[in-house]
């Protein structure tokens, strides 16, 4: 599995960015896919995830309404639209494929995950 993120950058508070992640090396849609983010010195935390079974979206309540995940199966691509960005959203954003599903994704889930190299999002105040 290979994942390549793009779309990060510097944006002012209140602005928007759209991240993209192109996936290859597996049948897109077979596994859950989504986004995590990480600030230096802290654990990687979930941002949004699309379930492979029913397409249900898993997101922390604190990010709902500002961050929207979507996917384009024809392009093997998952997107993260981020609106009304805040300085605390500054982080490296990682695209991931989660073999055990959204609920066991990431460090806390202990599942089998694949990750991209990440894209840096910096929000200035």
């Amino acid at each position: 599995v290979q994942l390549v993120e793009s779309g990060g950058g510097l944006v002012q508070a209140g602005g928007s960015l759209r991240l993209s992640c192109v996936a290859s090396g597996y049948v897109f849609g077979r596994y859950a896919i989504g986004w995590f983010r990480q600030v230096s010195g802290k654990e990687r935390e979930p941002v949004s995830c699309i379930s492979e079974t029913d397409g249900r979206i898993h997101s922390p309540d604190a990010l709902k309404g500002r961050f929207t995940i979507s996917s384009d199966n024809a392009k093997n691509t998952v997107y993260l639209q981020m609106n009304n960005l805040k300085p605390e959203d500054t982080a490296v954003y990682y695209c991931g494929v989660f073999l055990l599903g959204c609920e066991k994704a990431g460090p806390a889930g202990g599942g089998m995950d694949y990750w991209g190299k990440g894209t840096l999002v910096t929000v200035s105040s």
Side-chain angles (χ1 to χ4, degrees), residues 43-117:
E43 188 172 90
R44 198 169 293 189
E45 63 178 16
V47 173
S48 196
C49 179
I50 300 176
S51 171
E52 76 286 8
T53 55
D54 56 7
R56 178 185 171 193
I57 294 173
H58 300 247
S59 297
D61 288 342
L63 298 180
K64 291 179 180 177
R66 294 196 301 122
F67 288 15
T68 303
I69 191 171
S70 62
S71 65
D72 185 335
N73 288 357
K75 296 182 178 180
N76 287 3
T77 301
V78 63
Y79 304 97
L80 184 68
Q81 178 67 43
M82 304 185 294
N83 298 327
N84 190 21
L85 283 161
K86 304 176 180 181
E88 53 263 41
D89 294 319
T90 295
V92 177
Y93 284 70
Y94 294 92
C95 177
V97 167
F98 315 115
L99 302 191
L100 299 184
C102 292
E103 295 181 354
K104 292 187 177 181
M112 295 178 61
D113 306 324
Y114 291 92
W115 299 101
K117 293 183 178 180

